Amino acid sequence: MGTSGEDDCEARAREEPASDEKPAMIGSLVLFGASGDLAGRYLLPALAALLDAGRLPHGFALLCASREDYDDESFRRHAAERLRQHASHVPAGAREALVASLRYRSVDLTDADSVARVVEAAAHDGTPSARTALATASTA
């Protein structure tokens, strides 16, 4: 007989209904370093693929931040081009839906107030449970 913790896990597994529906991972994300190579080659394409697979909920919000002086529309154009280059395997509709969900804020990661303003923007836009990802270049 296993430990009580193992028994609890097994009991929960038996109680949870089997379903083909894939649960949404997160409802919102703040992506620092969003204009960089890592984001353009990997993170944005991965998010588009998750959206296509139904793993991101309707209304998913992505707040992108980097040091460049974009506005929402100019960053959406930048992101659409990166997705065209690096996510051609993802259906166009999913790429377009991801781009439509993007908002952008300029940030200086060396300034705590600047970072706080981005995090506050996510919270004030109705995404208080936003997750944060850092895709920034290392400095030596």
Side-chain angles (χ1 to χ4, degrees), residues 22-29 42-62 79 83 87 89-102:
K22 298 174 184 170
M25 294 172 46
I26 58 173
S28 58
L29 179 70
Y42 300 105
L43 298 177
L44 292 174
L47 288 168
L50 286 170
L51 188 63
D52 182 55
R55 298 299 302 261
L56 296 176
H58 177 73
F60 174 74
L62 181 57
L83 287 167
H89 62 283
V90 177
R95 296 190 316 256
E96 291 164 5
L98 180 67
V99 168
S101 77
L102 301 178

Side-chain angles (χ1 to χ4, degrees), residues 13-70:
R14 284 191 303 273
E15 291 171 5
E16 294 175 4
S19 172
D20 291 336
E21 184 177 321
K22 298 174 184 170
M25 294 172 46
I26 58 173
S28 58
L29 179 70
V30 179
L31 178 57
F32 290 96
S35 65
D37 192 56
L38 176 65
R41 285 182 185 266
Y42 300 105
L43 298 177
L44 292 174
L47 288 168
L50 286 170
L51 188 63
D52 182 55
R55 298 299 302 261
L56 296 176
H58 177 73
F60 174 74
L62 181 57
L63 178 57
C64 297
S66 65
R67 62 182 157 204
E68 284 74 24
D69 192 27
Y70 290 116

Side-chain angles (χ1 to χ4, degrees), residues 41-126:
R41 285 182 185 266
Y42 300 105
L43 298 177
L44 292 174
L47 288 168
L50 286 170
L51 188 63
D52 182 55
R55 298 299 302 261
L56 296 176
H58 177 73
F60 174 74
L62 181 57
L63 178 57
C64 297
S66 65
R67 62 182 157 204
E68 284 74 24
D69 192 27
Y70 290 116
D71 60 18
D72 287 346
E73 285 307 312
S74 60
F75 185 77
R76 285 181 184 131
R77 287 190 298 273
H78 168 80
E81 176 60 21
R82 297 307 303 263
L83 287 167
R84 186 193 64 74
Q85 293 171 341
H86 302 292
S88 59
H89 62 283
V90 177
R95 296 190 316 256
E96 291 164 5
L98 180 67
V99 168
S101 77
L102 301 178
R103 292 174 296 115
Y104 183 83
R105 299 292 181 272
S106 184
V107 66
D108 177 356
L109 290 177
T110 64
D111 178 4
D113 290 335
S114 180
V115 173
R117 283 191 296 275
V118 171
V119 173
E120 287 171 9
H124 289 295
D125 289 342

